[in-house]
Amino acid sequence: MLDALIVPLFVTTDLPPGAELAEFGELLAESARVLGREGAGYEAFLAGKVFWLDRPVLPEQRPAAETELRFAGMLGYLAASGPGHTSHDVLRDVRQAFGEAVAGRYGDVGVAPAVFAIRDQDVRERTPESAVSIDTRDVTPELVTATRSYL
């Protein structure tokens, strides 16, 4: 049996106007594939859902709102393979991976993505019905199985 640490996550970041939600989700899922810089790193699997967290706007504000940054979120689970990981270490590594991926794809949007470990219950209760599903492709099947039991 594969040794894995499962960390429930909440990620938020600003995205430029015109950014696509599904593309953002795929970017997060694929950037979580290998985490850690020391040694060879370790394999990870991210499964979750992405959604917009836009502020409410009135119809007369829409043209201005279409030129502003958009606020996106992700709720899900990250499975980190291998023994000896702590939630703190995994969060540090995934923050770095997500920050580099978002900056590489969208440029400087002002701040790096915020990545928080949250309660398992919050993922289930707070994920909007309209959210778009994401997951890391082509990873060790045992990581997928371990994570799917939480979904």
Side-chain angles (χ1 to χ4, degrees), residues 73-99:
M74 189 281 306
L75 285 163
Y77 298 93
L78 181 85
S81 68
H85 298 299
T86 66
S87 292
H88 177 75
D89 294 337
V90 170
L91 281 172
R92 179 196 63 228
D93 292 343
V94 80
R95 276 185 189 115
Q96 183 173 0
F98 287 172

Side-chain angles (χ1 to χ4, degrees), residues 98-143:
F98 287 172
E100 290 173 2
V102 168
R105 171 62 184 97
Y106 302 109
D108 182 13
V109 291
V111 296
V115 181
F116 304 96
I118 59 173
R119 298 177 314 145
D120 175 53
Q121 180 178 347
D122 288 331
V123 174
R124 289 190 303 269
E125 291 178 357
R126 299 182 186 274
T127 303
E129 294 286 328
S130 61
V132 177
S133 295
I134 61 160
D135 60 15
T136 308
R137 294 175 293 203
D138 303 321
V139 296
T140 303
E142 291 86 1
L143 276 177

